[in-house]
Structures are given as C-alpha cells and as structure tokens.
Amino acid sequence: MNGPYLELVCPAGTPAALRAAIAAGADTIYCGFRDATNARNYPGLNFDRDEMASGIAHAHAHGCKVLVAINTFPRPGEAAVWRAAVDDAASFGADAAILADIGMMDYASRRHPTLRLHLSVQAGASNPLALDFYRENFGIRRAVLPRVLEVREIADLVARMQMEAEVFAFGSLGTMAEGRCVLSSYLTGRSPTSDGVCAPAEHVSYEETDGRMSVRLGGVTMNCFSRHEPASYPTPCKARLRVRGIASYIFDEPVGLNAIGILPQLKSAGVTALKIEGRQRSRAYVVQVIRAFRTALDALAAGAPVPPVDLSGVVEGHRETLGAYRKGWR
Amino acid sequence: MTGLTLGPLLFHWPRAKRRDFYARIANEAPVDCVHLGEVVCSKREPFSAPDLPEIAERLRAGGKQVVLSTLALVTSRREVQAIRESCDAGLLIEANDVSSLRALAGRPHVIGPLLNIFNEDSLAYAARNGAIRIVPPVEVTAAGLRTLLAHAGGMEVEVQVFGRQTLSVSARCYHARSHGLHKDNCRHVCEGEPDGLPVATLDGRSILAVNGTQTMSHGYVVLLREMAALAAWGVHRFRLSPQDVDMVAVARLARATLDRTIDAEAATAAVQSLIGDVPLINGYLHGREGLAWVSRSL
C-alpha cells in the first residue's frame, strides 16, 4: 500500500478545532460525543449529534477521515448510552469507531458489521495474545498501543499482531497503563474509565500560604510551589509526594511526550499511524503541533532531512520526554 | 453459604514468610477459596513459583479451592508464554489481563478485578466466553453492584471486603524508582515493604502505598458492615486481600460477621485494632471518592 509515511491522527475537541486541524494538515481526526462515552468528557468540549454529522461531512469533503472515540467503559445499566453512540457514529459515516469496552465491541461488530473498529488505548492490549482476542472476536482492524512498550518491543509486537498499530506521538499523557488507573476517582469520585475525566477542574483548588501555593485535588495536596516555580496541573500521577520523608515526583515529572525525533524508528517498527493527544487543548496548540508533525512527515516521505522544530513551548511542563519508548524509563 | 476467598498475595514477601503464611491459612483460616499466582510483577515469580505446587496441595488438603491469578500487565514474550502455560495448567484461573481471556476461551474461569468487565453487555460476553465468577473493579458502587448482580446470569459475583485497593497498574516500577533504580535492575527492593511503600502528601497525609508497578490505597477497604446487605442482594463471595497483618484473625472476623456470631460494628472495631493506625475506607461502594469512610450502612 502506498499510504502516507505515517498517518497523522489528530485531536478535535470542538468543531472549530476539527476544521483547524484539517487545514493544518491532519490525515485523520478523532473526536467524541458530548457525554461520558469518550475519555475527554470535559465542559465545553466535544460534539453534539448535529456537529458530529457535519464534522464528518466536512472532513470527508477535504479528504480527511474521522474516527469517533467511544472509549470509556459504561457502568452497569448504562450500556444503552454507549450503544447509541456506536449507532450514531455508524449512521454519520464515521471511518471507524475507537472502542475500549468488550461489550461495545461485541455490540458494534454484530450490529454494524461494516463499521471499522479500532481498539482504544484504554483497552490496554499490550501483547499479541490480547490483540488476537480482540481481532478474532470483534474484527478489530487497528489498535492504539498502550504506552508501556519500548520502540524495539513495539516492532516485535507489530510483527505479530495482524492488525494496524497506532502509537502516541505527542501530548500530555499519564504514567499508568491506560484504562487501568483510578487514582482520580480515589481522590474525587469521578472516574477516568467510566466518567471520561481525570482530575476534573471542579475538584481542583489552590491555596496560598506563606508565599507558597498548594494545589489540591479532592482536597488532597498534589503539589506545592514557591512563587518562582511554574505550577503544574494536579494530575495524580504527576503529583509531588513524600516517600521515606523525601519529596519527589514518585510516578512521573510533569513532562509531555514528544516523539517527533524518533519518527523513522517508529516507521521502521511497522507503525501505521501517529496519534496526537489533546482534545482538551486550545485550537492554537492543535494547529502548532499538527503543522510541526506535518512538516516532519512530509520531509521524511520525500527523503529529505527533517527541519528542526521547537515544540517545547506547548509541551506539558515545557519539558519533553520519550516516555516508555526509551529504554530505562521503566 | 456465602463463601470467603483469600485473594492473591499482592506483595513480594520473602520465601519463608510466604510459606509460613500459607501453612497457617491452610490449617486455620475459615476461607474456602485461596488465590495463588503473581499478579504484580513477573520478576518476582521465580521466588514464589517453586513453592507453588506444594502450597496448593496443602491448601487443597485443608479443604480450600485453589485458583491461580494471572499477571495484570503482560508485555514480554516470556510473560505471554507464562500466561499460556498457566491457563493450560488445569487449575481454575483468574484472568487479570485480556490475554488470559484469549487463552481461556470456552473454559471456566474467573474475571479478576483488574479487567474492565462490569456492565450488562461485557458481562454477557464474558459469560459466553466461559466466565463462571466475576470480581468487579474496585470502583463499583452499591447501585452498580445491584445492577451488575441482575445481569450476572449464572456467574458468581465476588467483592473485596478487606485490604488495600489496587488503584493503578503501570509498566514502570515505582518501588525501584524510589531507590533511584529501574525495573530492569530493581534488585527486588519491593521485598523490603511487605505491606507496601507508604506515600504521603507534602503536608504529611498518608495517601497511597506503592507496591512495585502497582499503586494502592493507603487505607484498607473494610466492608464488614456492608456484607450482610451485599449477601442479601446476592453477592456470592467476599474477598480478603492479604496484608501484613494477622489474616487468620481477619478471616475469622469476616466469617463470624457472615455467620452473625459477632456484630458487624464490633468486628470492624476488632479489625481496626488488628491493623493499627491505617485508616479504613469504603468510599467507592457508597458512591463517593474511594478514600472516603462512610459510617452509614447501605
């Protein structure tokens, strides 16, 4: 197949971001409905039914695909809401639905046999046996791989997984295995897996005492900053905590993933698509990141050197990491 | 009769401590089912695997059902091979990763609490795939549990009523990180904290416990006061997750609570005295943040 060097899959938190992302060079957009069926269920974000239908039509008119993320796990008794999201994604002509829940995959594969299904990173398939399970039972065509693998392990997995692989290339990402972390609900009652929210803003509070700013989530102190330090968002896996009396970022520093420097390695590993995180980020952010990756991918496709690009201004904490892709991260 | 299960030992205990623990469980603990197997980290497995057949035999001789729990995060070829071998070992398996579901398809198995299978559609699929018992994730609320029970069909439902709750699974080892090491050269430092490594906030509140690649609640979930209601709703089994406390005493208190030979309040107070100053939690079941303690009954 003579596809793009790597398919650039870009976030759209709003219809305006969808249009901007397409104009900036996205190959594919992913977005979700305005409810708990998607993992970025934040106020002011996401698409109502009409917006999704017209967003898909707009993308298709510009040669761009749309993947609808229905990538949370319905609580007992709530499956009908998720089924309706699958039905609507199919009827609006989505190019694929990104699913995490086994029940939803079972439903979608039987009810909409022609709808292409992608496996959400939330499904946490980190080995060929798990991927075989999803492919054989539900016809999954592509998996977004969890960020638990080094690049050489991704290559080994892609060679054995019998479906396309999509990996994260840029964004604010947690440290824990996706779909398998409830630290946020432990502190706030609101769940990443079923409510689609991590560290929701309404549970965040700030208090300044003696020139130091305490940042809390659910009333629990996640960090404390002096006046001269930049304050980071109190995501629990990026909290500064005390272990054996010593304060440290025990899980991970407030840093952002940027894999723009290892695109040839990801291509060699057999990866099909790159995912940019950030449906909750501004349109300007989305455009800046997409332009940078578009430029890099076009250069690589042409066999030209990749021009240097500085994304440190938009990366989380203004510090970049290769995360689990780098040996020694674990 | 409502069953009591001893969940898998989630901590890395020295070999002798582990052997002594299960010897005592086999002889003295009023539990009818015991889970063995390494759930957290495959690097620990060589330390426990050699004793596993003998411990399993001893537990069976003590009248316990033995279930083998699988690893929660499976990435390497060696780990995948271990999953295949475990699933073919002839024991009842608790699946904690989707790879196990593939290996167990069509055979009776248990859905562990680290799989996101809990709504009516995924439950129906799991039952068709051969699941006979399900342990819902820690987040399940009382209302959710009642709905889940209504959709469980022939599957037994088991709820954890004692011990730290696993809040996250990671590829990274935080125990190693706390010592300035990586997972690859970890020196098995997690052995030093048999009940988990305490993690506090900067203002000194104990909040979490690191257990290798897992992060757990600091408080122990204790649902002795809720057990009677849960059993009346149709929960079949209750799980005690091993901590570094007198688990035989915990099991006796749980059994006595189920048998109504002790008042649930008195049993809860007795558990509190066994575990020292670790707080009790039950927030998730009451629809609150997990670390909350709600003193009203269900």
Side-chain angles (χ1 to χ4, degrees):
Chain A
M1 174 182 119
N2 258 342
Y5 184 84
L6 288 165
E7 179 185 334
L8 188 58
V9 182
C10 303
T14 61
L18 175 137
R19 287 175 172 78
I22 292 169
D27 295 310
T28 302
I29 299 292
Y30 69 100
C31 49
F33 290 114
R34 190 171 295 144
D35 55 32
T37 62
N38 89 85
R40 291 288 186 280
N41 179 27
Y42 297 107
L45 283 190
N46 299 310
F47 291 62
D48 69 22
R49 265 34 185 188
D50 288 345
E51 289 167 342
M52 185 65 82
S54 58
I56 291 173
H58 174 84
H60 287 173
H62 291 77
C64 192
K65 291 179 188 163
V66 176
L67 317 178
V68 179
I70 306 165
N71 57 346
T72 44
F73 300 87
R75 290 200 172 90
E78 295 181 349
V81 177
W82 273 250
R83 283 186 226 126
V86 171
D87 293 343
D88 289 343
S91 75
F92 298 157
D95 296 279
I98 308 172
L99 304 181
D101 183 81
I102 284 174
M104 284 312 110
M105 292 179 221
D106 183 41
Y107 174 78
S109 63
R110 288 189 288 116
R111 186 64 174 265
H112 303 285
T114 60
L115 177 63
R116 184 178 161 99
L117 301 182
H118 290 187
L119 190 69
S120 167
V121 73
Q122 301 289 324
S126 53
N127 62 74
L129 212 50
L131 289 159
D132 284 350
F133 173 82
Y134 289 118
R135 181 178 50 80
E136 291 166 356
N137 291 293
F138 315 118
I140 301 291
R141 308 275 289 279
R142 175 186 294 183
V144 184
L145 298 183
R147 288 163 305 98
V148 300
L149 304 167
E150 295 173 18
V151 173
R152 63 181 174 84
E153 292 171 327
I154 290 173
D156 190 44
L157 181 55
V158 171
R160 294 185 291 155
M161 67 190 260
Q162 301 184 60
M163 64 173 92
E164 295 172 356
E166 180 173 314
V167 300
F168 277 95
F170 194 91
S172 303
L173 298 155
T175 319
M176 309 304 183
E178 295 89 343
R180 312 187 79 182
C181 175
V182 295
L183 286 171
S184 176
S185 67
Y186 173 68
L187 299 172
T188 71
R190 301 260 286 150
S191 165
T193 40
S194 289
D195 294 314
V197 292
C198 177
E202 64 269 26
H203 289 268
V204 174
S205 59
Y206 300 85
E207 189 193 354
E208 191 167 345
T209 41
D210 304 331
R212 290 182 68 80
M213 176 75 81
S214 289
V215 186
R216 303 202 171 94
L217 181 66
V220 177
T221 303
M222 295 284 100
N223 213 330
C224 200
F225 303 96
S226 70
R227 241 178 254 277
H228 313 291
E229 278 180 288
S232 59
Y233 194 78
T235 311
C237 65
K238 310 253 174 111
R240 185 151 48 176
L241 297 163
R242 218 176 271 286
V243 175
R244 299 189 196 91
I246 298 165
S248 75
Y249 291 98
I250 178 66
F251 304 119
D252 207 357
E253 330 265 321
V255 293
L257 172 71
N258 183 3
I260 202 164
I262 61 165
L263 299 180
Q265 289 94 314
L266 293 172
K267 170 82 172 169
S268 304
V271 166
T272 298
L274 298 177
K275 185 165 211 142
I276 308 295
E277 188 272 350
R279 283 187 281 157
Q280 74 286 18
R281 303 292 296 264
S282 72
R283 209 178 346 155
Y285 163 95
V286 168
V287 165
Q288 187 178 347
V289 176
I290 294 172
R291 282 199 182 129
F293 274 85
R294 182 78 273 154
T295 304
L297 290 170
D298 288 349
L300 288 163
V306 176
V309 58
D310 183 10
L311 286 171
S312 62
V314 291
V315 83
E316 181 183 0
H318 304 294
R319 287 170 57 203
E320 299 178 358
T321 179
L322 280 177
Y325 295 148
R326 169 177 65 82
K327 184 171 170 59
W329 179 84
R330 292 192 287 229
Chain B
M1 189 174 79
T2 312
L4 268 186
T5 297
L6 185 75
L9 174 60
L10 298 174
F11 303 99
H12 185 39
W13 287 1
R15 194 171 171 183
K17 181 181 172 82
R18 181 186 293 259
R19 287 173 62 96
D20 291 349
F21 172 71
Y22 283 111
R24 197 160 167 239
I25 292 293
N27 295 334
E28 300 175 43
V31 298
D32 55 277
C33 175
V34 177
H35 285 238
L36 301 175
E38 176 56 49
V39 172
V40 178
C41 178
S42 63
K43 291 189 70 179
R44 298 170 173 180
E45 206 151 22
F47 297 91
S48 60
D51 292 328
L52 198 141
E54 189 191 320
I55 289 172
E57 197 41 54
R58 196 162 189 166
L59 291 165
R60 273 192 218 97
K64 329 278 191 212
Q65 179 186 40
V66 174
V67 181
L68 190 62
S69 292
T70 67
L71 195 64
L73 181 62
V74 178
T75 55
S76 73
R77 282 185 182 237
R78 192 170 50 79
E79 288 165 353
V80 170
Q81 187 54 31
I83 291 287
R84 289 185 196 278
E85 287 168 11
S86 297
C87 292
D88 289 336
L91 286 165
L92 184 59
I93 302 292
E94 175 181 80
N96 284 309
D97 176 272
V98 173
S99 56
S100 306
L101 295 184
R102 166 67 161 43
L104 292 163
R107 285 186 279 170
H109 59 271
V110 180
I111 302 289
L114 297 172
L115 285 176
N116 284 314
I117 294 178
F118 47 78
N119 63 64
E120 53 275 30
D121 287 13
S122 52
L123 287 171
Y125 187 85
R128 292 207 302 280
N129 198 49
I132 58 167
R133 187 183 296 164
I134 173 155
V135 191
V138 294
E139 276 188 323
V140 75
T141 63
L145 193 56
R146 295 188 82 158
T147 310
L148 186 155
L149 283 158
H151 291 279
M155 290 188 290
E156 288 188 342
V157 175
E158 176 174 313
V159 174
Q160 181 186 341
V161 297
F162 177 83
R164 291 197 150 128
Q165 291 182 308
T166 298
L167 302 174
S168 78
V169 172
S170 177
R172 186 177 236 184
C173 179
Y174 306 113
H175 239 115
R177 186 169 156 86
S178 78
H179 286 268
L181 302 169
H182 299 139
K183 190 177 173 193
D184 293 343
N185 66 355
C186 70
R187 300 182 206 156
H188 302 97
V189 288
C190 57
E191 196 182 65
E193 270 99 13
D195 216 43
L197 170 62
V199 176
T201 61
L202 292 179
D203 46 16
R205 177 177 178 185
S206 294
I207 194 81
L208 298 168
V210 158
N211 174 31
T213 54
Q214 283 192 345
T215 304
M216 311 181 82
S217 62
H218 167 64
Y220 292 179
V221 71
V222 172
L223 301 179
L224 295 180
R225 293 181 315 154
E226 290 85 349
M227 274 199 314
L230 297 179
W233 296 350
V235 173
H236 303 81
R237 314 189 59 79
F238 294 105
R239 170 172 297 202
L240 312 172
S241 190
Q243 299 290 155
D244 192 18
V245 299
D246 185 346
M247 288 303 297
V248 169
V250 171
R252 285 180 180 147
L253 286 165
R255 186 73 258 169
T257 307
L258 280 175
D259 295 343
R260 297 174 190 262
T261 56
I262 184 172
D263 172 69
E265 294 296 335
T268 303
V271 162
Q272 180 74 75
S273 69
L274 280 173
I275 68 178
D277 58 3
V278 176
L280 311 186
I281 61 173
N282 62 4
Y284 279 128
L285 191 69
H286 290 269
R288 295 268 309 272
E289 64 276 18
L291 56 65
W293 173 250
V294 178
S295 53
R296 68 180 151 74
S297 51
L298 286 173

